[in-house]
Amino acid sequence: MHTYTLSEARNRHGEIFDRAATEPVLLTKQSRPSHVLLSATAYTKLIDKLTELEDAVWGQKATEVSKAEMVGTEVFTNALTKIANGEA
């Protein structure tokens, strides 16, 4: 990833936008990362991949929950009553 300062970005924006069309560009302010420029296509791919990964994680969690042992209402109510009465 190529790096430019914000001052360079103001003065060389054409070059920077051309570079951002093919690869992410890091902008720095006072030697610290400030912004990343990337093409709309790269951004869309990034968001799509993030959504895909989030869906996979949620699907995995749903599978884990569906395999969990469930307790009946009576067992749950009794457990809450014991907790409320300081018995648990």
Side-chain angles (χ1 to χ4, degrees):
M1 182 173 357
H2 203 84
T3 302
Y4 296 91
T5 65
L6 288 177
S7 296
E8 289 173 322
R10 278 190 292 274
N11 298 329
R12 299 165 59 187
H13 61 277
E15 172 190 336
I16 293 169
F17 277 94
D18 287 346
R19 185 177 294 273
T22 60
E23 66 177 303
V25 173
L26 177 65
L27 300 180
T28 62
K29 182 177 183 179
Q30 298 177 351
S31 300
R32 292 189 211 133
S34 174
H35 297 80
V36 175
L37 296 177
L38 53 141
S39 70
T41 301
Y43 175 78
T44 301
K45 286 181 182 179
L46 181 65
I47 294 302
D48 289 347
K49 186 64 174 178
L50 179 61
T51 301
E52 179 185 323
L53 292 171
E54 286 177 329
D55 289 348
V57 168
W58 283 115
Q60 183 180 12
K61 294 290 183 192
T63 300
E64 290 171 11
V65 168
S66 69
K67 293 178 181 178
E69 193 173 315
M70 303 296 277
V71 297
T73 306
E74 186 176 333
V75 172
F76 182 70
T77 304
N78 287 341
L80 287 179
T81 302
K82 287 181 179 180
I83 292 170
N85 292 332
E87 300 171 15

